Amino acid sequence: MTEARIAPDNPSHWERPLRARLMEADESALAEIYDKYASFVFGLALRVIGDRTAAEDVSQDVFMSIWESPSSFDPDRGSLRTWLGTLTHRRAVDYVRREEARRRRAQRAANSRDDSAASVDDEATSSVVANRVRGVLDILPDDQRIAIQIAYFGGKTYREVARVLGIPEGTAKSRLRLGLRRLAEALEPEGLAQWA
Amino acid sequence: MNDPTELLGAYALDACEPEELPEIDAALAQDPELRRNADQLRAAAARLGTDAATEPPAGLRARVLGAARQRRARELVLELYATLTDTLLDVIDALPAAMLSATTANGLSVRDLVVHCGAQESLLAQLHGNPTIPELTVTDIDARTRELIAHFAAESLDDVVAFLRRTIDVNRNWAANPLNRDTLVPWLGAELSRHDALVIRAFESWIHADDLRRARGLPTVAPSPAHLALMSDLSGRTTGFGLVMTGRSRPGHTARLVLTGEGGGEWLVAMGGGEPNAVPDVTVTAHVVDWCRRVGERIAPDALPCRIDGDHALAADLIQAASAFATL
């Protein structure tokens, strides 16, 4: 297991005036946010969705959200990066789940066997695990790392994580919670407060 | 219900079942400590995303900023409509009684021009489903104006202005409702976005305010650059359709329209529908205010001060078609 290399961010002070500028519809404020976070937003969307065009759409949607509703970002509750990351992930997961539902409907319409849908999901999950990003997750034990990876980058619910890994739902919930808590504690000295 | 603490990790990773979310959100709203924990886990989850950072496609930045500009313009259009209809009402309020029978640029008397403005505004209200004069349903604007002139024949100008003011308020309320943001309005055989319908109304309010000023011998007044930009944009986008509507379609040809001055811009116009060619057959350059007056038919086609580079016959068609959507 390797030690995660964490590059602390230095946000906070510029975020409050930036939000004020967004509320006045200052386009240059949006351009600043884009320049600072576009690779983070696009990369996360791409990692979850796996399709560049859809990742572009999700990224645009995320930046439009901060542009149209800057007041929904509350600097007292967390950093702009966390806000953008949370929103990007949620939108990307929504996209993945919509697509999966659509695919299942199409498969049912084609009278495919039910387990063929599961096999597509399992393939996608295997790809998520195999395509492991070496980084901050490396500080976790394998069982927690894999559970988080499937949930976060695979867009799966904890019940789906339990099914994929063949573990009870309660165990899946615990692995996600304990893994994320461990991650938060490990990152804290290196600047997680700036992320929160 | 699951213990919310148990679900906090899944919650921060967007991995809860949808039906569990309302209860977790309610628990977070009631328990500040739980919420603080959730915020910390969310921050840790968001941190995972940085390991996936990827340079976005080069065109995404322009696409995002362009979309932002458009959405900003959507709200600017409310200001445009409010400003130019307010100006029209101010000009009407200042009309001397002795002027009411004077003839204006569109051939109507000053009084009948005010009624005409009411006909136009009430048509928009009718088309978005909030009629201010339900008994009047005709959509042809000339016929509607005639009927409204007859309707108000025995009424004072104050009554007409009160009707116009009330109708403008109805349109403003409709436009300001976010639920109507993407509503389409049937107009002259096409379907207009809320944005374009408001620009047209604002455009005509400006033209008629100038008609009334002219009738009084007062100088005309150009809108602000920000407002002109919305009007010139509408014209730049729709002149191709205007060519088709007026029977001046020139398939395979492209015109470049260059409007100078603040609020102007450049457009490539496909003269026969479809996509414009990269290299235009003709470039027409005019000042944005002159062009907008041409669009409102207050400058005749052959009186438009402009420069033409390229095919003059195509330029003449473009300039003719500019006013395809003008009514009176």
Side-chain angles (χ1 to χ4, degrees):
Chain A
M1 194 179 297
T2 57
E3 191 65 28
R5 302 294 303 160
I6 296 157
D9 194 19
N10 292 306
S12 63
H13 292 308
W14 69 287
E15 293 187 344
R16 214 174 288 275
L18 196 68
R19 178 172 173 263
R21 285 167 58 202
L22 285 172
M23 292 178 87
E24 291 168 4
D26 178 348
E27 195 182 306
S28 69
L30 181 66
E32 276 180 47
I33 293 174
Y34 180 90
D35 291 341
K36 190 170 172 63
Y37 294 117
S39 58
F40 167 59
V41 168
F42 176 73
L44 176 55
L46 180 62
R47 182 95 170 93
V48 173
I49 298 172
D51 176 271
R52 289 183 71 84
T53 304
E56 277 189 57
D57 290 343
V58 164
S59 302
Q60 179 172 335
D61 192 29
V62 167
F63 286 112
M64 284 306 97
S65 293
I66 189 78
W67 175 246
E68 290 203 309
S69 310
S71 58
S72 59
F73 160 56
D74 179 358
D76 292 330
R77 280 199 65 191
S79 71
L80 180 56
R81 186 187 295 261
T82 292
W83 189 89
L84 291 169
T86 300
L87 189 61
T88 303
H89 188 258
R90 196 174 294 154
R91 297 278 163 89
V93 165
D94 285 346
Y95 177 88
V96 167
R97 291 178 185 164
R98 268 199 316 274
E99 282 300 294
E100 282 177 359
R102 189 188 57 74
R103 204 168 51 221
R104 286 199 186 95
R105 280 196 303 275
Q107 281 175 336
R108 276 200 297 274
N111 291 324
S112 292
R113 289 184 302 119
D114 280 347
D115 61 359
S116 63
S119 71
V120 171
D121 286 354
D122 290 347
E123 253 176 53
T125 303
S126 303
S127 157
V128 166
V129 176
N131 191 13
R132 171 180 163 188
V133 175
R134 295 197 67 80
V136 68
L137 272 176
D138 287 343
I139 64 173
L140 298 180
D142 282 351
D143 59 347
Q144 293 174 3
R145 176 182 59 75
I146 290 171
I148 287 178
Q149 214 164 348
I150 293 171
Y152 193 71
F153 291 120
K156 305 294 182 194
T157 67
Y158 71 87
R159 283 185 187 151
E160 291 168 323
V161 171
R163 184 180 59 76
V164 169
L165 296 179
I167 56 177
E169 288 179 7
T171 306
K173 273 191 283 188
S174 296
R175 286 186 189 175
L176 296 178
R177 179 172 53 82
L178 294 174
L180 212 48
R181 168 56 55 201
R182 189 167 182 160
L183 213 51
E185 285 165 2
L187 295 173
E188 189 102 42
E190 299 187 58
L192 182 62
Q194 292 166 356
W195 287 78
Chain B
M1 154 76 174
N2 283 294
D3 176 357
T5 308
E6 285 293 311
L7 276 171
L8 227 45
Y11 179 80
L13 292 161
D14 297 315
C16 283
E17 298 297 327
E19 65 272 15
E20 294 167 333
L21 291 175
E23 284 188 87
I24 300 174
D25 286 334
L28 290 173
Q30 289 165 8
D31 185 342
E33 182 60 20
L34 192 68
R35 183 165 139 158
R36 197 181 64 78
N37 281 337
D39 286 348
Q40 278 184 339
L41 296 185
R42 278 257 184 237
R47 176 66 181 81
L48 296 174
T50 55
D51 291 328
T54 306
E55 193 61 31
L60 184 59
R61 189 179 196 275
R63 193 174 136 193
V64 165
L65 297 181
R69 216 167 289 137
Q70 272 192 2
R71 302 214 183 173
R72 166 80 177 127
R74 278 182 158 187
E75 298 321 305
L76 186 59
V77 79
L78 299 181
E79 183 193 302
L80 166 77
Y81 179 68
T83 302
L84 294 189
T85 49
D86 272 347
T87 301
L88 174 66
L89 289 167
D90 287 347
V91 171
I92 292 171
D93 284 343
L95 286 171
M99 287 293 307
L100 296 186
S101 56
T103 303
T104 64
N106 67 359
L108 294 174
S109 69
V110 165
R111 186 187 193 284
D112 288 350
L113 179 60
V114 176
V115 178
H116 169 66
C117 292
Q120 289 177 310
E121 291 293 339
S122 64
L123 177 58
L124 175 60
Q126 175 185 317
L127 293 176
H128 61 65
N130 299 285
T132 51
I133 179 161
E135 62 270 34
L136 188 61
T137 55
V138 61
T139 56
D140 175 81
I141 198 65
D142 292 356
R144 189 177 180 90
T145 299
R146 283 195 299 275
E147 287 195 25
L148 206 59
I149 288 171
H151 177 87
F152 280 112
E155 310 284 336
S156 70
L157 182 66
D158 285 348
D159 292 328
V160 178
V161 174
F163 168 72
L164 175 61
R165 200 179 295 276
R166 179 166 60 85
T167 304
I168 287 172
D169 282 345
V170 166
N171 287 337
R172 285 182 190 178
N173 289 336
W174 165 76
N177 185 341
L179 295 176
N180 296 326
R181 184 177 271 189
D182 298 315
T183 302
L184 294 176
V185 179
W187 192 272
L188 294 176
E191 283 199 315
L192 289 182
S193 65
R194 180 196 71 152
H195 175 277
D196 287 354
L198 291 173
V199 174
I200 288 174
R201 290 301 330 120
F203 208 129
E204 292 187 352
S205 296
W206 165 52
I207 291 291
H208 291 322
D210 264 359
D211 288 342
L212 295 172
R213 290 187 186 105
R214 274 198 205 91
R216 293 185 60 190
L218 299 174
T220 56
V221 177
S224 71
H227 292 164
L228 277 171
L230 292 178
M231 297 187 204
S232 62
D233 171 68
L234 178 71
S235 173
R237 285 189 286 112
T238 58
T239 300
F241 186 48
L243 282 158
V244 176
M245 271 188 64
T246 55
R248 296 175 184 278
S249 180
R250 297 292 177 266
H253 292 290
T254 293
R256 179 165 161 257
L257 177 62
V258 180
L259 301 183
T260 59
E262 286 188 288
E266 283 190 34
W267 294 264
L268 281 176
V269 180
M271 299 187 73
E275 291 295 313
N277 304 323
V279 180
D281 302 291
V282 62
T283 296
V284 175
T285 305
H287 192 275
V288 61
V289 176
D290 290 337
W291 180 263
C292 286
R293 291 206 164 109
R294 166 72 207 116
V295 172
E297 274 194 322
R298 293 310 183 261
I299 291 182
D302 55 2
L304 176 72
C306 66
R307 179 179 149 179
I308 297 169
D309 297 300
D311 189 319
H312 279 240
L314 292 175
D317 285 330
L318 186 82
I319 293 167
Q320 282 279 356
S323 61
F325 305 105
T327 54
L328 283 181

